[in-house]
Amino acid sequence: MSFSSDIIISTFFVFILLYLLINKLAKTPRHVCVVVLGDIGRSPRMQYHALSFAEEGFRVYLVGYKGSTPHEKVLQNENIQIYHVAEHPAFISRIPKIFGYFVKAVWQTISLGWTLLLLPNLGSILIQNPPSIPTMAVSYVISHVRFCTLVIDWHNYGYTILSMSLRQGHPFVKFAKWYEKICGRLSSYNLCVTDAMLEDLKTNWNISAISVHDRPSEIFQSITIEQQHDLFSRLSKNYPLFASKDSTTSTRFTTIDKDNKICKASDRPALLVSSTSWTEDEDFGILLEALTEYDSSDLEASYFPNIVCVITGKGPQKEMYSKKIEERSWNRVQFCLPWLAAEDYPLMLGSADIGVCLHKSSSGLDLPMKVVDMFGCGLPVCALNFACIGELVQHHKNGLIFNDSDELFIQLMMLLRGFLKEHSMLSNLRKNLVQFQEHRWHNQWKQLVLPIFNEIAGVRNTTFNIPQKFGNWSSDQREEQDTKKSN
């Protein structure tokens, strides 16, 4: 080896040591990095985390992919900076599936690792899981390089989602499960979305966590008839089915009476709303079959209204279902498949009569945030049954739970019979949601999540008790590890 090579290598190692020393000395505990290896705009829970951190005075670096526009509050908050991870080149999607997974993972490892390394000084990293590969391993390595604390927010299991596109016993699925279980134990703290997942993590993964149920943010509220009228008026410019055939000042759902007041149209159809990412974990064939049966049934118009079905979102299966809708002849049901702005989506939920959720959960342990948002707007929901849906939807109290298209059809009949009447089943379910609407995301976050990050930042909070064990470390072990790091 030449003398010049020795100098280059020595210089490189000196640079690395200096970098690590600077990171250690310049650690800023109240700076937190929130990581989602996905579209930031389509990751509401992580946006809520970012907003809550910012509201409590933390500096937030929100890391993820470009795509949908994040909520306006995130974009306008001076305490939140967004850093975009470079997406993989398009040609990787054309590589044979298994080899493509490997190449994509390598690309993501480099691009995510580089992004996290170049961030300003920080004290903790909060990551969304899934995706597990390579987020967990990369974040763990970077957290040690940068002397900060790693926290995982478990939304689901990555290997169960992977098994939906491969098969349950596929070698790559087995590897993904092993990887997720090993890397999941490397974090200092863990959050999860349901009590069922908390129990599964503890029993089968030897990981202790705190369950932080999804709660609606303040943007998901019941809205006034004036706000509904404004929404329908704006949407009617691009989607004619919202427009009134008789008046330019009225809409299909709202009208202006003789006293110049806005009120609901007496002959309006029922507005049914569902939202989806159009993936395999939501079978929209169930909804189409139920609506087909409703459309073809001999129903009295005075008791059962026509239906306008709005399905928001975008994803890989949207085109397939759009063709299925167009191929059928509909009499009493109309469809609209818009992509709504972040500010219009809560207004649509607040204007609807019924919400439908077809999320079935790859693991059976997570809950659909779309239902949380619907409940936040006071919208009753019909939800597909799976293992832990009862933690959110209480049958015949705040919504209904169905198992197939026949049950969904029956429930639509029950809810829409006399739906304009004040004492219908639909209006009773809506009244039962008032209590749910009182409990919002940030209040819960302050009770369950803030004490963890205050402890990381060295702020002792005696108001709330943090469980003594997270991941593999007890609080004493973490304190011992922190002492080693500081020395």
Side-chain angles (χ1 to χ4, degrees):
M1 185 180 292
S2 67
F3 180 71
S4 59
S5 297
D6 290 339
I7 293 176
I8 292 173
I9 294 173
S10 300
T11 303
F12 174 76
F13 279 107
V14 169
F15 174 79
I16 293 296
L17 289 172
L18 284 173
Y19 175 82
L20 295 176
L21 181 62
I22 291 169
N23 262 286
K24 184 174 183 179
L25 294 175
K27 182 179 178 182
T28 46
R30 290 184 66 80
H31 288 209
V32 58
C33 174
V34 177
V35 180
V36 47
L37 200 59
D39 185 341
I40 292 175
R42 297 171 69 182
S43 306
R45 181 174 167 105
M46 302 312 282
Q47 291 185 71
Y48 293 170
H49 275 301
L51 286 168
S52 288
F53 278 121
E55 189 171 333
E56 295 302 319
F58 284 76
R59 183 68 176 170
V60 184
Y61 309 122
L62 183 54
V63 175
Y65 289 135
K66 284 183 180 178
S68 308
T69 305
H71 195 273
E72 189 176 353
K73 287 187 176 181
V74 173
L75 297 175
Q76 293 181 350
N77 196 300
E78 294 180 352
N79 282 336
I80 300 175
Q81 275 184 273
I82 296 178
Y83 291 82
H84 290 121
V85 178
E87 295 198 51
H88 63 272
F91 77 86
I92 293 180
S93 302
R94 298 190 288 270
I95 296 176
K97 185 177 286 187
I98 299 300
F99 185 59
Y101 282 141
F102 174 76
V103 176
K104 182 179 177 182
V106 172
W107 176 274
Q108 290 177 323
T109 298
I110 296 170
S111 58
L112 177 61
W114 184 251
T115 303
L116 295 180
L117 272 175
L118 294 182
L119 288 177
N121 296 314
L122 51 93
S124 55
I125 300 175
L126 171 65
I127 67 171
Q128 171 187 293
N129 182 67
S132 312
I133 301 174
T135 315
M136 283 181 162
V138 171
S139 300
Y140 173 72
V141 171
I142 297 300
S143 71
H144 275 256
V145 169
R146 304 204 56 174
F147 300 96
C148 56
T149 304
L150 178 63
V151 182
I152 299 176
D153 189 7
W154 296 78
H155 295 198
N156 201 345
Y157 295 150
Y159 81 91
T160 62
I161 294 176
L162 184 63
S163 69
M164 297 182 75
S165 56
L166 300 175
R167 66 175 190 276
Q168 187 67 39
H170 193 282
F172 196 56
V173 174
K174 290 181 178 179
F175 167 78
K177 183 177 182 179
W178 171 84
Y179 163 93
E180 193 168 8
K181 184 172 285 191
I182 295 299
C183 290
R185 295 172 183 169
L186 300 177
S187 60
S188 298
Y189 302 87
N190 293 276
L191 313 174
C192 63
V193 294
T194 63
D195 295 335
M197 181 172 285
L198 181 148
E199 186 60 33
D200 189 72
L201 283 169
K202 184 177 180 180
T203 303
N204 299 319
W205 297 60
N206 194 29
I207 294 173
S208 294
I210 292 178
S211 63
V212 182
H213 286 81
D214 287 323
R215 305 297 304 185
S217 75
E218 297 297 333
I219 65 174
F220 291 96
Q221 299 274 0
S222 299
I223 64 173
T224 65
I225 186 65
E226 289 78 15
Q227 289 174 295
Q228 294 180 33
H229 181 74
D230 178 67
L231 174 69
F232 294 137
S233 297
R234 285 189 288 107
L235 291 177
S236 64
K237 297 174 183 177
N238 295 317
Y239 306 101
L241 84 169
F242 291 104
S244 170
K245 295 180 180 179
D246 305 320
S247 171
T248 56
T249 57
S250 298
T251 72
R252 185 87 177 277
F253 299 88
T254 57
T255 186
I256 300 177
D257 63 17
K258 60 182 180 180
D259 297 323
N260 206 33
K261 289 184 178 180
I262 298 173
C263 57
K264 292 187 176 182
S266 59
D267 59 345
R268 73 183 188 278
L271 181 56
L272 184 152
V273 173
S274 187
S275 62
T276 178
S277 53
W278 298 104
T279 52
E280 293 88 349
D281 64 348
E282 292 180 309
D283 183 2
F284 265 81
I286 295 175
L287 177 59
L288 290 186
E289 290 304 316
L291 291 176
T292 298
E293 195 167 355
Y294 185 93
D295 188 76
S296 60
S297 298
D298 185 17
L299 303 173
E300 284 188 54
S302 58
Y303 285 98
F304 296 96
N306 291 343
I307 294 177
V308 171
C309 178
V310 174
I311 307 174
T312 70
K314 53 186 176 182
Q317 294 190 337
K318 183 174 182 177
E319 186 177 349
M320 177 187 74
Y321 280 108
S322 296
K323 288 181 179 178
K324 288 186 177 183
I325 291 170
E326 292 171 1
E327 289 169 357
R328 301 188 185 187
S329 178
W330 302 92
N331 299 310
R332 304 190 61 179
V333 180
Q334 289 178 284
F335 290 85
C336 181
L337 278 61
W339 175 249
L340 297 174
E343 289 70 36
D344 283 342
Y345 178 60
L347 297 176
M348 177 60 72
L349 298 186
S351 303
D353 299 297
I354 300 175
V356 173
C357 175
L358 295 153
H359 177 83
K360 58 186 175 184
S361 178
S362 61
S363 65
L365 299 172
D366 68 312
L367 291 170
M369 181 170 269
K370 69 193 73 179
V371 174
V372 175
D373 296 338
M374 290 174 179
F375 282 177
C377 293
L379 178 63
V381 173
C382 295
L384 182 64
N385 192 21
F386 65 90
C388 68
I389 190 65
E391 287 189 34
L392 180 60
V393 181
Q394 299 171 29
H395 194 53
H396 280 284
K397 184 175 181 181
N398 57 17
L400 299 172
I401 298 173
F402 61 88
N403 291 291
D404 52 35
S405 60
D406 290 335
E407 286 190 9
L408 177 56
F409 164 67
I410 293 171
Q411 290 176 7
L412 293 177
M413 295 276 288
M414 292 166 54
L415 294 173
L416 293 178
R417 181 180 177 86
F419 94 110
L420 295 177
K421 295 180 180 179
E422 187 177 337
H423 298 292
S424 65
M425 181 179 184
L426 197 56
S427 62
N428 290 334
L429 290 176
R430 192 179 290 273
K431 290 175 183 177
N432 291 337
L433 286 170
V434 172
Q435 185 176 1
F436 183 93
Q437 292 180 281
E438 294 173 354
H439 301 284
R440 297 286 161 173
W441 167 264
H442 187 65
N443 287 336
Q444 175 187 252
W445 187 92
K446 284 173 63 177
Q447 293 181 13
L448 299 177
V449 182
L450 180 59
I452 293 173
F453 286 86
N454 276 342
E455 184 178 89
I456 292 171
V459 178
R460 294 298 174 183
N461 189 329
T462 57
T463 306
F464 307 111
N465 292 320
I466 302 177
Q468 288 193 345
K469 189 178 180 190
F470 297 85
N472 290 331
W473 291 351
S474 68
S475 57
D476 291 338
Q477 288 172 314
R478 287 200 312 277
E479 195 169 304
E480 180 183 347
Q481 182 72 11
D482 290 339
T483 302
K484 289 178 181 179
K485 283 185 180 181
S486 63
N487 293 329

